Amino acid sequence: MADASGDVTGEGDGLFHNDTRLLSTFRLLLNGQHPALLSSAVSQDNAFFTANLTNRPLPPLGESSMPEGVIHVERRRFLWSGRLHERVRLTNYSDIRTRLPVQLLFGADFRDMFEVRGQSRSRRGEMQASQCGTDCVALRYHGLDQVLREVALSFSEQPQRLTAQHAEFEVVLPGRESWTLYVEVGDASTQPSRERWRGAAARTRWSLRAHRRRGARVRASGRLLQAWIDKSEADLALLTTELPTGPYPYAGIPWFSTPFGRDALITSLQTLWIDPALARGVLAFLAAHQASEISTFRDAEPGKIMHETRKGEMAAVNELPFGKYYGGVDTTPLFVMLAAAYARRTGDLAFIDGIWKELVASIAWIEDNVARHGGLLSYARGEATGLANQGWKDSHDSVFHADGSSPRGPIALIEVQGYAYAALHGMALLARRRGDTEAATHWDGAARRIARKVEDEFWMEELQFYALALDGDGRACRVRSSNAGHLLYTGLPRPQRGRAVARQLLSAAFASGWGIRTLPTGTSRFNPMSYHNGSVWPHDVALCAAGVARYGEREGALKLLDQLFEAATFFGMRLPELFCGFERALGEAPVAYPVACLPQAWAAGAVFMLLQVGLGVQIDAMTPCVSIDRPLLPTGIASLQICGIALPQGRLDLGFRRVGSRVLAFADRGPPETVLRIDVRL
């Protein structure tokens, strides 16, 4: 994380690895001055950052003074295999020979990510003596967790002066000539060179391209829509790390560049139809890290699925519970939901057999929790260090009564009941495929009981909506919220009630013009600038769109796609984690939320869920059948193709074309009809 010039200033920026800031200062100066910024950008595939700078007036060499704007400075950098690679190239576009004192200032505070975010600590580890060579320097820190952390800076040219704080080069640059410096920053010193730079750069670009080519590709006739799709693909590729268990999308940059359970599960649901391999990697990782013991500090209970894992010093010494933390009430049912959806999408029952023990443990935790909390899946943190609210709206003030007062726990959130309902039905489906009809009947019955409980206790007849939550006294938090859209996504509500909720989610109270707000205007804690109480979250909008479409509001769901698309054009075709929920004004951009993660995995995945909802595509590899139900294209888009949909029977290409007022669907290529059935309803 750096500013537009490529400098790290020590505020919220830096070079981070495993939740530790390795570089807290990294600044380029010419003769002690900051170069003037011309432009900077990240490449479309997220591989490279490039800043174009120029000199301010330089002191004379002999009798001539170097004027401003004749030295071009290009800083180009990328990350590969745990190392920062940077190339600094100076080009003299004048005919005047000049001497340029070039300084690189650097420093490492080795602060934990939570310290950078503002967490205070009573004590820290100790900085160790730095080690300086002729062309490299190593900075070191011994943490309270007894881990020695080291960062080494290596230079392709030998500096005239090198200390633990800066490297200085005296560059004599003839007219019309260039000078290049290669810098590497990592855990050990190296010998940077043009060859090392080119080789690592090629591998970086190849790796990102391989991630993008893993799933089906989406091709739209509209240039701007295609740019949004391409950037979303590139962001998911950037955030996806290859773990021993398979690909895993880290949640977001900068604060959440680590495995999160909820974020990865929802991202996988968003992209399952085009890239099931991501879901498989997420399921395998979360199954391997399932809780097996009780810990109130970590909010862990046997069978629960992980919410978050961290590798920094503060987590290692238990200053915070997030080394491996289970304080998410929704991750466990979402894990089971995704497993059932993955099996239906791929027919990969062998993989399901491999994680069956973990699925059974997860559903047992759900049923035990439901039994302990009066028939509803509920949460209450074990210790004060844990998260107070443990649904996706996990800020401290996101759950409240209609008068604004805070409820007493345990809390049963409305969307979590839907997840539990879908998880139980999903387990019943998998059990039937495994020939266990007795277990399937049991889980179907448990799902129906939760549905009845929700209809009886959450429905607010006078508001024609579901309450946000029930508190520990069984009192409803009589607040309308976007959480109910997630309930629609699971299919729990009765048809009439579901349609009533869908209409309200699309109404002016929820609508910002850029998507559905998390709360409607007029709610006691409504604040369009808040994190969860009136803002717009793209992933939330996508789940609500899928929910309202399920209850007949297809056109409304398409309108939400159009609105997020228009919002993306103001954010450089990259939707942030969230943005403010102010009402849309003619000619004005959506208002950014100042500390939103960018990119964020489930924000990047939103476009793919929205497209699936609009196109009406469902893939069932168990049948096997691909169904297309009354496809709709985004406004202004004449045609769209989905190329290379992976099926057990082979690859399938689908095309959609607008003809008059209708959208026609067709298969461009695919397995023989005797192997795969394609049902189209126009």
Side-chain angles (χ1 to χ4, degrees):
M1 298 293 299
D3 67 14
S5 296
D7 284 343
V8 172
T9 63
E11 296 296 326
D13 53 3
L15 174 66
F16 296 88
H17 182 66
N18 284 340
D19 296 313
T20 300
R21 182 161 67 180
L22 300 182
L23 282 184
S24 52
T25 302
F26 193 56
R27 299 162 62 194
L28 174 69
L29 304 178
L30 300 183
N31 194 41
Q33 294 182 307
H34 294 284
L37 175 65
L38 299 173
S39 69
S40 63
V42 174
S43 60
Q44 176 66 25
D45 62 0
N46 291 324
F48 298 98
F49 166 82
T50 304
N52 292 287
L53 314 161
T54 190
N55 69 291
R56 303 183 191 277
L58 293 170
L61 177 65
E63 296 183 358
S64 300
S65 178
M66 179 65 67
E68 183 173 10
V70 295
I71 305 294
H72 174 238
V73 182
E74 181 198 64
R75 300 182 73 176
R76 189 165 172 84
R77 70 167 58 125
F78 62 93
L79 297 167
W80 175 250
S81 191
R83 303 188 71 79
L84 168 70
H85 297 254
E86 177 152 339
R87 183 183 70 195
V88 179
R89 176 173 290 164
L90 280 61
T91 304
N92 183 356
Y93 282 101
S94 77
D95 295 319
I96 304 171
R97 184 172 180 267
T98 189
R99 178 182 293 114
L100 284 126
V102 177
Q103 297 99 18
L104 273 172
L105 311 183
F106 46 82
D109 62 8
F110 295 98
R111 290 194 176 273
D112 189 281
M113 177 68 81
F114 288 93
E115 288 184 273
V116 178
R117 294 174 65 183
Q119 189 89 19
S120 61
R121 302 180 68 186
S122 59
R123 64 191 187 101
R124 303 186 76 248
E126 295 182 354
M127 297 297 298
Q128 304 292 297
S130 59
Q131 295 181 333
C132 286
T134 57
D135 56 5
C136 64
V137 59
L139 311 177
R140 309 168 78 195
Y141 168 78
H142 190 261
L144 297 179
D145 56 354
Q146 305 307 312
V147 173
L148 180 65
R149 293 172 172 85
E150 179 174 317
V151 60
L153 295 92
S154 305
F155 309 97
S156 60
E157 301 286 332
Q158 184 173 321
Q160 269 68 39
R161 284 172 290 279
L162 179 61
T163 73
Q165 291 82 38
H166 80 284
E168 186 168 337
F169 305 84
E170 292 288 342
V171 180
V172 176
L173 194 58
R176 306 293 170 182
E177 293 196 12
S178 298
W179 176 84
T180 303
L181 173 70
Y182 295 96
V183 184
E184 290 189 27
V185 184
D187 60 357
S189 61
T190 58
Q191 292 183 321
S193 65
R194 180 174 180 269
E195 291 70 30
R196 282 180 58 86
W197 163 275
R198 288 168 62 89
R203 289 191 292 274
T204 300
R205 183 151 269 171
W206 179 88
S207 175
L208 289 169
R209 286 176 180 172
H211 278 302
R212 294 183 65 184
R213 290 172 178 166
R214 188 181 55 233
R217 307 303 303 275
V218 182
R219 292 286 175 260
S221 60
R223 181 176 60 84
L224 283 178
L225 179 61
Q226 188 63 54
W228 182 26
I229 293 167
D230 289 345
K231 194 61 180 174
S232 298
E233 286 181 346
D235 284 349
L236 287 173
L238 173 71
L239 291 165
T240 298
T241 296
E242 287 294 336
L243 301 176
T245 46
Y248 198 98
Y250 284 13
I253 294 172
W255 312 122
F256 307 128
S257 187
T258 188
F260 272 75
R262 176 192 302 119
D263 297 62
L265 289 161
I266 289 178
T267 302
S268 298
L269 286 167
Q270 292 171 328
T271 59
L272 179 60
W273 68 297
I274 58 171
D275 184 14
L278 193 65
R280 180 183 173 124
V282 168
L283 289 167
F285 177 86
L286 293 177
H289 292 84
Q290 186 177 49
S292 58
E293 60 185 14
I294 295 174
S295 168
T296 57
F297 179 65
R298 301 192 184 281
D299 278 320
E301 295 174 352
K304 284 187 79 174
I305 295 299
M306 187 193 73
H307 167 68
E308 174 182 3
T309 182
R310 295 283 185 174
K311 296 181 179 179
E313 179 188 359
M314 292 177 72
V317 297
N318 290 332
E319 290 181 44
L320 296 167
F322 304 122
K324 195 178 289 184
Y325 183 58
Y326 294 86
V329 70
D330 49 2
T331 50
T332 306
L334 282 168
F335 171 73
V336 181
M337 278 178 64
L338 179 62
Y342 171 81
R344 189 181 300 111
R345 167 63 181 85
T346 65
D348 187 2
L349 295 178
F351 174 76
I352 296 298
D353 288 343
I355 62 168
W356 186 249
K357 180 183 70 171
E358 289 78 13
L359 289 170
V360 171
S362 291
I363 213 72
W365 176 81
I366 291 171
E367 291 194 271
D368 179 64
N369 180 289
V370 166
R372 287 187 282 118
H373 295 106
L376 296 170
L377 187 56
S378 307
Y379 68 87
R381 63 181 174 183
E383 297 185 18
T385 51
L387 293 173
N389 286 317
Q390 299 190 354
W392 84 262
K393 295 178 181 177
D394 56 5
S395 51
H396 72 281
D397 60 350
S398 63
V399 182
F400 54 97
H401 285 291
D403 62 0
S405 62
S406 297
R408 188 181 69 85
I411 305 295
L413 292 167
I414 183 60
E415 79 276 14
V416 173
Q417 312 317 310
Y419 301 156
Y421 167 84
L424 288 160
H425 271 317
M427 279 297 281
L429 168 81
L430 296 175
R432 285 193 182 89
R433 297 295 299 192
R434 293 167 57 87
D436 191 345
T437 56
E438 182 179 352
T441 301
H442 166 77
W443 286 322
D444 273 335
R448 288 192 296 271
R449 286 191 294 275
I450 286 180
R452 285 196 299 270
K453 190 82 171 175
V454 168
E455 298 288 22
D456 291 343
E457 300 193 22
F458 282 83
W459 181 249
M460 301 180 292
E461 182 64 28
E462 73 284 7
L463 296 177
Q464 291 290 290
F465 211 85
Y466 290 96
L468 167 63
L470 295 187
D471 69 10
D473 299 317
R475 292 175 55 220
C477 296
R478 304 180 69 79
V479 174
R480 294 183 301 159
S481 69
S482 65
N483 303 54
H486 299 218
L487 186 73
L488 301 188
Y489 169 69
T490 67
L492 182 151
R494 299 170 190 168
Q496 183 177 355
R497 290 180 175 182
R499 288 191 292 270
V501 171
R503 287 192 295 270
Q504 290 195 53
L505 288 170
L506 297 170
S507 70
F510 276 98
S512 69
W514 302 111
I516 292 173
R517 299 183 181 100
T518 52
L519 289 178
T521 55
T523 307
S524 60
R525 291 190 183 178
F526 176 77
N527 177 357
M529 299 176 290
S530 70
Y531 197 53
H532 285 130
N533 292 335
S535 52
V536 177
W537 289 66
H539 88 278
D540 183 42
V541 176
L543 285 165
C544 287
V548 301
R550 185 165 188 161
Y551 284 86
E553 295 287 350
R554 297 287 307 287
E555 295 287 348
L558 184 66
K559 186 177 180 180
L560 293 173
L561 168 58
D562 289 342
Q563 289 176 353
L564 280 188
F565 172 36
E566 290 161 1
T569 64
F570 289 96
F571 289 112
M573 310 315 298
R574 169 188 272 171
L575 284 173
E577 175 189 15
L578 74 154
F579 50 90
C580 293
F582 290 108
E583 188 171 353
R584 183 173 182 169
L586 186 64
E588 296 183 11
V591 179
Y593 187 83
V595 292
C597 284
L598 191 71
Q600 181 90 351
W602 60 12
V607 62
F608 302 107
M609 177 171 274
L610 288 162
L611 285 172
Q612 182 184 15
V613 169
L615 298 175
V617 175
Q618 294 293 333
I619 302 171
D620 186 343
M622 292 182 174
T623 310
C625 176
V626 174
S627 62
I628 302 168
D629 183 15
R630 295 164 294 165
L632 299 171
L633 286 171
T635 302
I637 301 301
S639 63
L640 189 142
Q641 285 186 308
I642 315 294
C643 304
I645 298 172
L647 298 164
Q649 300 82 12
R651 295 274 176 173
L652 172 67
D653 293 352
L654 293 176
F656 301 85
R657 183 176 300 133
R658 194 185 302 278
V659 179
S661 61
R662 306 176 71 193
V663 174
L664 303 184
F666 51 90
D668 279 345
R669 74 175 170 95
E673 291 184 7
T674 54
V675 177
L676 175 70
R677 190 175 83 251
I678 301 176
D679 293 340
V680 182
R681 178 185 174 194
L682 300 177

